[in-house]
Amino acid sequence: MSTLKEICSGLPLNPLPPNRGRDPNVPHAPIRTPNLTAEEERLALRNALRYFPPSHHATLAPEFAQELRQYGHIYMYRFCPTLRMRAYPIDQYPCHTRQAAAMMLMIMNNLDPAVAQFPQELVTYGGNGQVFSNWAQFRLVMHYLSEMTEEQTLVMYSGHPMGLFPSLPSSPRAIITNGMVIPNYSSRDQYEKMFALGVSMYGQMTAGSYCYIGPQGIVHGTMLTVLNAGRRYLGSDDLRGRVFVTSGLGGMSGAQAKAAVIAGCVSVIAEVDEAPLRKRHEQGWLMEVTSSLDQCIKRIREAKSAKTPLSLGYHGNVVDLWERILLEFERTGELLVDLGSDQTSLHNPYNGGYYPVQLSFHQANQFMSTDPDRFRNVVQESLRRQIKAINKLADAGMHFWDYGNAFLLEAQRAGAEVQKVGGGATEFRYPSYVQHIMGDIFSLGFGPFRWVCTSGDPRDLAVTDNIAATVLEEMSANVPDRVKQQYNDNIRWIREAGKHKMVVGSQARILYSDQKGRVSIALAINQAVADGNVSAPVVISRDHHDVSGTDSPFRETSNVYDGSVFCADMAVQNFVGDAFRGATWVALHNGGGVGWGEVINGGFGLVLDGSDEAAKRARLMLNWDVSNGVARRCWSGNSNAYETIQRTMEENRQLHVTMPFPVQDEHVLDRALQG
């Protein structure tokens, strides 16, 4: 069995560890199909071998070649540690700085089998969200972090550690970029080649930035989405007896079952893969499981009538579920669904992100690698069927939204009827959840703020929960009503979080907060560390899916209507600004959520160690991290953002934002353009 000290000692070369291959006891990523030429295969092998001295090439080359041809990528399974991957307490990591130890903890949490979707392929979530490209990179990164001083920065190129470079104590300890590809070469097919060659990587959002906290991260966001969908579409946040139908129980989508029950509704979630279905049921996040559509309909009617919360996992294809609900409506006139969405990984539709209804789970896994062209056609046919059923149910009164997973985008590409008459480039027949539900919340400055207690002690998490709730309760007395509603939702969440047993992996918590709330919570937690009320440093972070961190025209910025929706200045500025304002590490990614080439996003980690320096960094960086995006949304014409940034400038006299003047008389434009 490996130890942390061994893992941090670099690549084990003398002797090489035994090649155990793939572990049959954990889920594995679908086989990739990079379609490399003979010369490209040769280059992929050459690139992989450069991590090792020539004396080992004769041993490693044949097995790496086999991995490439059998799985479509060189993962270097031989170097996968035998030590159980998990977030060990920060004091157990052999290193010179606690900042480095905090990163080690976060990396190992991302690869914890209880957290990661495909741990041996270094995939945290989303089907292809990589932490690293191979196990040699993991071992080198852990070694560099163990050697790092406070005058060095680790530079990461798409999973590859370029090395430790001299820097200042005030500099970030790591700068991470993933998938930074010249725009004209950022296609999916080119990505598959680049990943197989080991030169680029898809880090999703918090996989490649080492900030994933398990499905809790999206439970809260999904709960807020469902609650606010009820307010907007159904006129109430009392969702008892209301039915929500969706799909996906994997790394991110697995949150839907828990979130729906917390929101109080009846939820039915389809999942074709038995492994995540069973995992969510064993965790207690999924109350019931069935493979019978008859049972689904029966339980919907019973729970709807009794107005009792339910999370029911349907082991089958969501298209079958939608078509059966439609059939019930056509037979009886009874509409069994109020709210609908989809969380399949359609950013990755042809490599395991979406399973077509015409094929079994095992047939699909086979066809996607043996006959990819036919598989593509079958996927698109399945999407057309799914949309046809959804459209008929929506016409009958169901409210459907896109969850930012490229569902409507891929349905449109498949020829499904999702176009919006007179709509813009990012608008479809159904809104994205950002356009109708979460966009205005972002424009108020609210987003997914999170923290990790590096002691691994649940008592520290309970203390920080109480700190956060107390801060928000004190602040909620003096805020506008729109802001107060969001505070109240989050106070309720944080007060009940322990009861709902959210922790999977590290001792972490998430809540949605605005700029003032984030700063106040961070400063209060830092003071608790200083006073010894929290026993070890706390890492603060956020999802990239936030106010400022992500330019994503089909999700986070889909409610930007000034023509800048396909621009990425905000996310890049955020990454750079966080870096020089005090972040411990920063990351910038191509892809995330809706897929490669569709989004630029970034994130950060910041270690609160109880010092005055940490407080100064947190205040400066968090203020920027929110104001940047609110200012951009204000400039695009969002009234919530205008009011929010106006209030922020009144509170901080050093902040000066360029404010827009609206065109008040449209006739001015008409006359000018007719002249």
Side-chain angles (χ1 to χ4, degrees):
M1 178 69 73
S2 308
T3 64
L4 284 173
K5 186 175 181 180
E6 286 174 46
I7 284 176
C8 295
S9 62
L11 285 168
L13 301 175
N14 295 302
L16 290 172
N19 184 12
R20 296 178 178 85
R22 303 214 311 184
D23 181 352
N25 299 311
V26 298
H28 290 283
I31 295 168
R32 309 189 75 95
T33 53
N35 297 317
L36 301 182
T37 65
E39 279 305 306
E40 287 168 337
E41 282 189 340
R42 192 177 186 87
L43 181 57
L45 195 55
R46 186 191 307 277
N47 286 349
L49 290 172
R50 59 187 165 176
Y51 287 103
F52 306 95
S55 58
H56 294 298
H57 288 184
T59 301
L60 297 175
E63 68 188 56
F64 289 173
Q66 182 183 3
E67 285 184 21
L68 181 63
R69 288 173 173 167
Q70 189 170 353
Y71 307 121
H73 188 73
I74 300 171
Y75 296 106
M76 306 187 187
Y77 292 113
R78 177 191 287 269
F79 296 95
C80 179
T82 54
L83 178 70
R84 162 68 197 273
M85 288 285 175
R86 68 178 183 88
Y88 291 90
I90 190 169
D91 290 336
Q92 293 186 22
Y93 292 95
C95 54
H96 301 299
T97 80
R98 283 197 149 187
Q99 293 181 331
M103 279 189 276
M104 295 163 126
L105 180 152
M106 301 289 278
I107 287 168
M108 292 191 72
N109 186 67
N110 271 23
L111 294 169
D112 182 343
V115 173
Q117 187 178 14
F118 305 124
Q120 280 207 306
E121 287 74 46
L122 305 106
V123 171
T124 301
Y125 70 93
N128 60 352
Q130 304 284 149
V131 186
F132 303 107
S133 180
N134 59 58
W135 286 104
Q137 293 175 349
F138 165 80
R139 287 180 177 271
L140 285 173
V141 166
M142 296 296 280
H143 176 61
Y144 281 135
L145 289 172
S146 72
E147 295 292 313
M148 173 189 285
T149 72
E150 292 190 355
E151 292 186 335
Q152 290 174 305
T153 293
L154 175 63
V155 176
M156 297 295 301
Y157 280 30
S158 291
H160 169 67
M162 192 58 70
L164 291 173
F165 291 77
S167 61
L168 299 170
S170 60
S171 303
R173 298 280 71 82
I175 302 282
I176 303 161
T177 53
N178 284 307
M180 292 292 106
V181 172
I182 306 301
N184 284 351
Y185 302 89
S186 191
S187 72
R188 278 187 185 146
D189 289 344
Q190 285 165 318
Y191 166 70
E192 289 296 339
K193 282 186 182 288
M194 285 186 280
F195 182 58
L197 292 173
V199 297
S200 196
M201 191 183 87
Y202 183 70
Q204 263 286 2
M205 289 191 163
T206 52
S209 67
Y210 321 146
C211 291
Y212 191 63
I213 59 168
Q216 176 193 175
I218 195 159
V219 169
H220 184 42
T222 304
M223 183 205 75
L224 290 178
T225 299
V226 174
L227 272 181
N228 285 291
R231 290 167 181 152
R232 180 177 181 119
Y233 299 133
L234 307 176
S236 174
D237 56 11
D238 181 358
L239 296 179
R240 290 175 297 176
R242 299 293 197 164
V243 179
F244 173 48
V245 173
T246 182
S247 60
L249 285 165
M252 293 289 279
S253 55
Q256 295 182 106
K258 190 74 170 177
V261 169
I262 295 172
C265 67
V266 177
S267 62
V268 185
I269 307 106
E271 173 59 64
V272 293
D273 186 355
E274 187 178 6
L277 191 86
R278 190 169 57 246
K279 185 176 184 178
R280 299 303 171 213
H281 189 234
E282 289 169 356
Q283 282 175 339
W285 288 31
L286 196 60
M287 294 164 67
E288 300 177 19
V289 173
T290 182
S291 57
S292 164
L293 285 169
D294 288 342
Q295 179 69 5
C296 282
I297 300 302
K298 178 174 180 286
R299 291 298 290 127
I300 288 173
R301 286 196 169 110
E302 290 171 351
K304 188 176 172 71
S305 174
K307 294 191 173 182
T308 54
L310 172 68
S311 55
L312 174 62
Y314 168 57
H315 184 204
N317 198 288
V318 71
V319 181
D320 287 327
L321 179 60
W322 282 121
E323 290 178 343
R324 177 58 186 273
I325 293 171
L326 175 61
L327 182 62
E328 290 296 316
F329 173 72
E330 291 172 342
R331 282 176 178 169
T332 67
E334 182 184 12
L335 184 63
L336 291 173
V337 56
D338 300 286
L339 302 171
S341 192
D342 185 282
Q343 275 200 42
T344 48
S345 297
L346 270 156
H347 66 275
N348 183 32
Y350 308 119
N351 199 44
Y354 181 90
Y355 284 82
V357 66
Q358 306 94 316
L359 301 173
S360 71
F361 179 67
H362 296 294
Q363 286 173 328
N365 279 330
Q366 181 181 357
F367 272 107
M368 69 180 70
S369 59
T370 60
D371 195 348
D373 290 338
R374 181 184 169 195
F375 184 72
R376 180 183 292 259
N377 291 334
V378 173
V379 164
Q380 294 190 330
E381 181 188 337
S382 182
L383 282 167
R384 292 192 293 271
R385 274 179 60 178
Q386 186 170 347
I387 289 293
K388 185 176 180 181
I390 288 169
N391 285 350
K392 289 182 178 180
L393 289 165
D395 289 343
M398 176 189 73
H399 299 278
F400 187 90
W401 67 86
D402 182 286
Y403 217 106
N405 57 333
F407 174 66
L408 293 178
L409 180 63
E410 288 301 330
Q412 180 187 59
R413 289 168 175 167
E417 294 182 14
V418 295
Q419 66 275 12
K420 178 180 179 180
V421 177
T426 63
E427 294 179 288
F428 299 99
R429 175 172 179 162
Y430 306 106
S432 80
Y433 75 120
V434 172
Q435 288 169 329
H436 264 202
I437 303 168
M438 299 301 287
D440 282 343
I441 294 172
F442 282 164
S443 297
L444 292 169
F446 281 83
F449 180 63
R450 55 178 60 167
W451 62 91
V452 176
C453 296
T454 66
S455 65
D457 188 342
R459 291 173 295 184
D460 280 345
L461 185 60
V463 171
T464 58
D465 281 351
N466 188 58
I467 288 170
T470 301
V471 166
L472 294 184
E473 285 165 350
E474 290 172 354
M475 293 177 62
S476 66
N478 301 302
V479 294
D481 287 344
R482 276 182 299 185
V483 175
K484 185 181 293 249
Q485 184 183 63
Q486 299 307 318
Y487 272 17
N488 289 341
D489 285 346
N490 283 280
I491 291 165
R492 171 188 161 195
W493 159 266
I494 206 75
R495 287 296 185 199
E496 297 180 356
K499 177 181 76 176
H500 291 301
K501 298 179 180 177
M502 292 289 158
V503 170
V504 179
S506 59
Q507 292 293 318
R509 187 66 74 222
I510 184 171
L511 58 76
Y512 268 55
S513 183
D514 60 356
Q515 179 172 325
K516 188 182 290 187
R518 298 186 207 201
V519 173
S520 299
I521 291 168
L523 294 179
I525 290 176
N526 190 62
Q527 189 60 48
V529 175
D531 295 341
N533 295 325
V534 173
S535 66
V538 172
V539 174
I540 59 170
S541 181
R542 58 162 169 75
D543 197 344
H544 298 198
H545 164 67
D546 195 18
V547 180
S548 307
T550 297
D551 281 298
S552 180
F554 295 100
R555 197 164 83 171
E556 284 81 358
T557 45
S558 60
N559 67 331
V560 169
Y561 300 114
D562 68 345
S564 69
V565 70
F566 295 105
C567 300
D569 300 84
M570 180 179 74
V572 176
Q573 287 281 356
N574 222 68
F575 163 78
V576 175
D578 284 354
F580 68 74
R581 286 181 175 88
T584 306
W585 72 93
V586 289
L588 187 68
H589 298 182
N590 171 8
V594 294
W596 180 265
E598 304 285 358
V599 50
I600 298 293
N601 66 89
F604 71 87
L606 196 160
V607 177
L608 300 177
D609 60 7
S611 65
D612 291 342
E613 175 68 16
K616 179 182 176 183
R617 287 170 178 244
R619 181 184 288 109
L620 192 61
M621 199 217 73
L622 290 172
N623 277 314
W624 155 257
D625 194 65
V626 178
S627 281
N628 173 40
V630 177
R632 186 269 176 101
R633 291 165 193 275
C634 165
W635 184 247
S636 76
N638 186 285
S639 59
N640 275 356
Y642 188 100
E643 294 170 15
T644 301
I645 205 69
Q646 192 79 50
R647 280 198 313 273
T648 307
M649 283 193 287
E650 290 168 6
E651 293 166 359
N652 183 352
R653 294 300 177 183
Q654 285 189 298
L655 178 65
H656 300 277
V657 172
T658 306
M659 303 296 279
F661 293 99
V663 173
Q664 295 179 333
D665 182 0
E666 290 291 321
H667 295 340
V668 171
L669 305 182
D670 295 336
R671 288 192 294 271
L673 293 170
Q674 288 168 4

